[in-house]
Amino acid sequence: MINVALFGIAREIVGQSSLALPAGEGQSVGELLATLRTRYPELGRLRSLAVAVNNEYAGAEVALHERDEIALIPPVSGG
Amino acid sequence: MLIDLTDQPIDVAAVLQAAESDEAGAVNAFVGTVRNRSEGRRVVRLHYEAYPPMAVHQLRRVAEMAQEKWPVLRQVAVVHRHGTLEIGDVAVVVAVSTPHRADSFAACQFIIDTLKEVVPIWKKEEYEDGTVWVSAHP
């Protein structure tokens, strides 16, 4: 299983602060995003949606592993 | 370098002090505060949510990027608050020091502008009749 931490509007859309997915549904960042956008169409309406792996923004090709710290990053608005 | 994410009120003077350097003739600071209006609606308060380990890591990365762009930077201090903030509360303080003032203005602006683009912190505005996650939708 991979665990995905959720924040802000992504947390509200999914209705929980983290998600556990079978590793096969998110072998890469791109696959994870596709899986989540299909399951939660509201995520596709956001201005942007990024994935962080171990505290760094990760491109679609980055492979995901069970021990990675993975988070879904909706449009940030700090400052 | 001072980098911090806190759920307590920010001591602006302490952040300025952290940016001081005997080699600097300029200390420049940006203080971001909670405004009472947003796009015509009256804001009651703000709720800041953060992803703490990544937010601190990315704040440090932004400060390091500034040091690379402005090797003259002597000190950098960035403190961001999260949790519930009322109108007038300080949400973020960026303070830098450089030998001369022009670099300090530029580096300070670079840090706050880049912070707003990359640091995983989310702002929810609360109005009298609802709430909105800022910038979430096109």
Side-chain angles (χ1 to χ4, degrees):
Chain A
M1 302 291 279
I2 56 167
N3 289 292
V4 182
L6 304 167
F7 298 96
I9 194 167
R11 176 176 50 73
E12 290 190 353
I13 288 170
V14 174
Q16 51 199 65
S17 58
S18 70
L19 268 178
L21 295 174
E25 290 182 23
Q27 296 186 46
S28 68
V29 166
E31 272 188 33
L32 173 66
L33 283 171
T35 297
L36 294 177
R37 285 196 177 108
T38 302
R39 200 171 296 176
Y40 305 99
E42 285 284 312
L43 292 176
R45 300 196 182 97
L46 299 176
R47 191 166 53 81
S48 65
L49 191 62
V51 170
V53 179
N54 302 324
N55 295 333
E56 298 286 359
Y57 288 99
E61 74 292 349
V62 171
L64 299 175
H65 306 98
E66 299 208 351
R67 285 184 188 163
D68 286 334
E69 188 167 323
I70 302 163
L72 203 54
I73 309 290
V76 300
S77 51
Chain B
M1 183 187 291
L2 168 68
I3 302 291
D4 197 18
L5 175 72
T6 177
D7 60 3
Q8 299 297 311
I10 298 173
D11 181 344
V12 179
V15 182
L16 277 173
Q17 195 169 17
E20 288 174 1
S21 164
D22 287 349
E23 296 175 352
V27 175
N28 196 292
F30 171 81
V31 179
T33 55
V34 178
R35 190 177 58 223
N36 68 356
R37 296 198 76 78
S38 176
E39 293 175 8
R41 298 180 81 177
R42 200 170 87 78
V43 175
V44 178
R45 61 180 63 81
L46 290 185
H47 305 275
Y48 281 92
E49 180 173 336
Y51 176 17
M54 182 176 174
V56 169
H57 179 71
Q58 294 293 329
L59 284 170
R60 184 165 289 113
R61 287 279 296 269
V62 173
E64 288 167 356
M65 284 165 67
Q67 287 174 323
E68 284 165 27
K69 282 175 74 82
W70 288 274
V72 293
L73 266 181
R74 288 302 188 268
Q75 289 293 335
V76 182
V78 186
V79 179
H80 205 299
R81 189 171 168 194
H82 64 119
T84 297
L85 277 71
E86 306 294 332
I87 304 305
D89 281 353
V90 174
V92 60
V93 180
V94 177
V96 303
S97 58
T98 59
H100 304 287
R101 70 182 182 283
D103 291 320
S104 73
F105 279 106
C108 190
Q109 175 149 22
F110 169 84
I111 291 170
I112 186 63
D113 288 352
T114 310
L115 179 161
K116 282 172 161 287
E117 289 173 8
V118 305
V119 177
I121 295 174
W122 299 272
K123 179 163 43 189
K124 188 187 217 179
E125 288 177 344
E126 181 181 331
Y127 317 108
E128 285 159 321
D129 58 349
T131 60
V132 167
W133 286 103
V134 175
S135 303
H137 292 99

